[in-house]
């Protein structure tokens, strides 16, 4: 935004740069309270977490990991190394003067356009509240545009598992997980003894990693998934992880019943395993997160339906709300409102950078967005294509590979209309996608050891290291 000539103010509720990468050991809830976000920490990071993407793949296009102090040069860095990288990025680009830390935006209200100043879209009045000082009183300021980048790893998304109020085990979401030695999980494991059994519900990246870590502390871990088809990674741990279908109900005797029709590690789980689990010390839901935009709740500019983010102020036939244009722009308010970082199963930093560039150049007039009607038609067509492909609505913003790289390439091309040379200079090099594919293959081949098997990344890792070294040499 600043590079495009805009005057920028960044509001950050936390005390430092880093967002979800700032480890907060105080999860703000115990037992069942750990399922809610009331008083909960913003971050979902736990002490042992390492990335499941190689460092140089994660890096912004204009600042490699190799340029940041504090990186151990491991291909898959720990969470603290990512935090140091973000701090180094902010320092390198002198972003601190733009930031207002410990300042939460509590509300955003649309204002009329200002065509006399060339602002043809709704403007915004932000209400903010600072913390950490002697006093804390709301204040407000008006802006010509708003970029919301509040993340989407804070509001737990819970599965439809019935639970008896008398279920004696701990029930928590991965958002509150801080390791087997942290409370309240440590107490639950200790009470159950060495034969403790933990159900981890959800077998994507967080479920896989948490199940592996818990296998060293629990007697057995039941890793539960809707389906074990489709190439899901199966961690081994210390040999006590069992692959199970989803849970259906938690019972007062401490057991849980499985849903029908799931597939276990050796075939049909309904045939190979009893209908109920042993008594469970804990159930940990690794079932993802819900999109949430509290600052926009009052004005209704954004709506969320089954985890698809929609334009809350724009509707089509039948009263249905319009999808977003390009996973970032509500057609009725864009470019005055941009929602950054919604896509998932992606490499987030370069993707957000491409989105931010597109928004910045749309606001400056260098690369205008299509008309509202054109954006609505494009978004509707994309939604229809997802429906025809059988994509669940809750996966509307899931990209994966190669879709995320195609998406970033289009964002970049659209940011420089009529200037293919400039667009080419900002396109991601081929080694990025090659490294993503190599990392995915390595993880599938060795779920427990891929992070320390750098050689499995092949030539793409060498290309990434060479590009980073050349950047550092240029200074």
């Amino acid at each position: 935004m600043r590079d495009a000539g805009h005057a920028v103010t960044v509001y950050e509720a936390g005390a430092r740069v880093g967002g979800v990468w700032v480890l907060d050991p105080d999860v703000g809830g115990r037992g069942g309270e750990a399922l809610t976000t009331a008083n909960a920490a913003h971050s979902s990071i736990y002490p042992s977490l390492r990335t499941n993407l190689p460092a140089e793949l994660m890096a912004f296009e204009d600042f490699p990991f190799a340029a940041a102090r504090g990186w151990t040069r491991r291909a898959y860095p720990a969470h603290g190394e990512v935090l140091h990288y973000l701090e180094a990025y902010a320092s390198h680009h002198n972003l601190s003067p733009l930031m207002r830390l410990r300042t939460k935006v509590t509300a955003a209200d649309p204002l009329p356009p200002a065509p006399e100043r060339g602002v043809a879209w709704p403007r915004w009045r932000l209400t903010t509240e600072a913390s950490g000082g002697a006093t804390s009183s709301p204040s407000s300021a008006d802006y010509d545009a708003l970029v919301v980048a509040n993340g989407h790893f804070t509001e737990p998304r819970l599965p439809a598992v019935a639970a008896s109020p008398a279920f004696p085990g701990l029930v928590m979401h991965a958002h509150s997980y801080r390791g087997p030695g942290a409370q309240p999980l440590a107490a639950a494991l200790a009470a159950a003894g060495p034969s403790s059994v933990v159900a981890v519900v959800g077998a994507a990246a967080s479920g896989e990693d948490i199940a592996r870590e818990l296998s060293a502390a629990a007697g057995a871990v039941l890793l539960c998934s809707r389906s074990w088809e489709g190439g899901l990674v199966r961690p081994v741990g210390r040999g006590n992880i069992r692959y199970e279908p989803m849970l259906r109900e938690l019972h007062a005797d401490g057991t849980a019943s499985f849903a029908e029709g799931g597939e276990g590690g050796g075939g049909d789980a309904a045939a190979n395993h009893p209908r109920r689990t042993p008594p469970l010390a804990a159930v940990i839901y690794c079932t993802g997160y819900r999109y949430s935009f509290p600052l926009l709740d009052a004005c209704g500019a954004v709506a969320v339906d089954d985890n698809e983010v929609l334009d809350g102020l724009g509707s089509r036939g039948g009263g249905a709300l319009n999808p977003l244009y390009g996973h970032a722009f509500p057609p009725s308010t864009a470019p005055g409102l941009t929602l950054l970082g919604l896509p998932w199963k992606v490499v987030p930093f370069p993707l957000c950078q491409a989105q931010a560039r597109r928004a910045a150049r749309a606001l400056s007039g260098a690369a205008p967005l299509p008309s509202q009607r054109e954006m609505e038609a494009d978004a509707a067509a994309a939604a229809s294509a997802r429906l025809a492909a059988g994509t669940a609505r809750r996966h509307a913003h899931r990209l994966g590979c190669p879709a995320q790289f195609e998406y970033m390439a289009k964002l970049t091309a659209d940011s420089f209309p009529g200037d293919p040379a400039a667009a080419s200079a900002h396109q991601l090099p081929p080694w990025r996608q090659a490294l993503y594919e190599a990392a995915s293959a390595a993880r599938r081949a060795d779920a427990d050891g891929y992070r320390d098997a750098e050689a499995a990344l092949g030539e793409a890792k060498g290309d990434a290291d060479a590009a980073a070294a050349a950047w550092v040499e240029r200074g």
Side-chain angles (χ1 to χ4, degrees):
M1 288 288 175
R2 184 188 60 190
D3 291 348
H6 305 297
V8 180
T9 301
V10 179
Y11 292 102
E12 167 57 47
R16 62 190 294 188
V17 171
V20 297
W21 292 98
V22 178
L23 174 64
D24 187 347
D26 181 10
V27 298
R30 300 176 66 84
E33 296 173 24
L35 291 176
T36 75
T37 54
N39 303 314
H42 177 69
S43 174
S44 300
I45 296 294
Y46 50 91
S48 65
L49 186 141
R50 288 173 65 185
T51 67
N52 59 7
L53 295 172
E56 295 301 5
L57 173 60
M58 292 180 64
F60 293 109
E61 69 174 64
D62 55 347
F63 193 73
F65 254 78
R69 294 181 179 179
W71 181 35
T72 63
R73 302 289 170 155
R74 289 186 297 181
Y76 296 85
H79 62 86
E81 296 172 85
V82 180
L83 177 60
H84 288 313
Y85 169 79
L86 292 173
E87 291 173 333
Y89 183 87
S91 176
H92 176 77
H93 290 286
N94 193 32
L95 300 181
S96 293
L98 310 180
M99 299 180 186
R100 298 185 186 179
L101 301 177
R102 296 187 178 90
T103 305
K104 182 178 182 178
V105 179
T106 58
D109 297 298
L111 299 172
E116 71 280 2
R117 294 193 293 105
V119 181
W121 48 83
R123 297 157 54 245
W124 296 90
R125 174 164 295 159
L126 302 189
T127 303
T128 62
E129 189 169 302
S131 63
T135 60
S136 179
S137 58
S139 61
S140 64
D142 296 347
Y143 296 93
D144 290 334
L146 172 62
V147 177
V148 178
N150 63 333
H152 50 85
F153 295 105
T154 297
E155 187 87 18
R157 180 178 171 87
L158 302 174
V161 177
S164 166
F167 177 74
L170 172 69
V171 181
M172 63 187 294
H173 189 273
H175 178 68
S176 300
Y177 178 80
R178 295 298 183 268
Q183 299 298 353
L185 181 57
L189 294 174
S195 60
S196 60
V197 181
V198 177
V200 175
V201 180
S206 62
E208 167 202 337
D209 285 341
I210 288 173
R212 181 187 302 109
E213 182 168 65
L214 282 174
S215 74
V221 177
L222 312 181
L223 183 56
C224 305
S225 175
R226 292 175 184 269
S227 171
W228 284 99
E229 298 177 347
L232 277 177
V233 174
R234 300 191 181 200
V236 175
R238 63 180 180 92
N240 59 343
I241 300 176
R242 287 164 43 187
Y243 313 113
E244 300 282 8
M246 287 292 285
L247 300 184
R248 183 180 66 187
E249 185 174 358
L250 309 182
H251 303 286
D253 63 359
T255 67
S257 53
F258 291 115
E260 298 287 350
E263 290 188 3
D268 187 347
N272 292 342
H273 300 293
R275 285 287 299 128
R276 287 198 181 192
T277 70
L280 298 173
V283 176
I284 303 177
Y285 291 128
C286 301
T287 46
Y289 296 85
R290 296 190 300 151
Y291 294 102
S292 177
F293 308 92
L295 72 163
L296 296 170
D297 282 349
C299 73
V302 172
V304 181
D305 186 356
D306 195 17
N307 238 28
E308 180 182 9
V309 183
L310 303 167
D311 182 351
L313 301 179
S315 61
R316 45 188 167 144
L321 296 176
N322 284 312
L324 301 183
Y325 173 69
H327 296 284
F329 302 105
S332 68
T333 51
L337 176 62
T338 301
L339 306 175
L340 213 65
L342 301 186
W344 55 281
K345 204 171 184 182
V346 299
V347 187
F349 296 168
L351 184 141
C352 288
Q353 189 170 25
Q355 289 181 319
R357 181 189 300 116
R358 182 71 185 97
R361 292 181 63 80
L363 288 166
S364 71
L369 291 173
S371 69
Q372 178 177 341
R373 181 171 296 181
E374 290 170 326
M375 286 192 285
E376 290 172 347
D378 183 277
S384 296
R386 289 193 296 270
L387 181 64
T391 301
R393 189 165 197 176
R394 68 181 184 276
H395 293 161
H397 302 296
R398 174 178 171 169
L399 294 185
C401 187
Q404 64 177 303
F405 295 98
E406 296 167 351
Y407 172 71
M408 286 186 277
K410 184 179 187 306
L411 284 172
T412 302
D414 289 348
S415 295
F416 299 95
D419 192 348
S424 178
H426 288 279
Q427 292 288 5
L428 295 181
W431 63 257
R432 292 263 191 172
Q433 182 171 340
L435 186 55
Y436 184 94
E437 292 170 347
S440 297
R443 181 166 162 251
R444 289 192 298 269
D446 183 6
D448 292 85
Y450 73 95
R451 288 182 173 92
D452 297 310
E454 189 172 317
L457 297 175
E459 293 182 4
K461 178 65 166 63
D463 293 341
D465 290 343
W471 190 97
V472 171
E473 186 175 348
R474 291 195 302 268

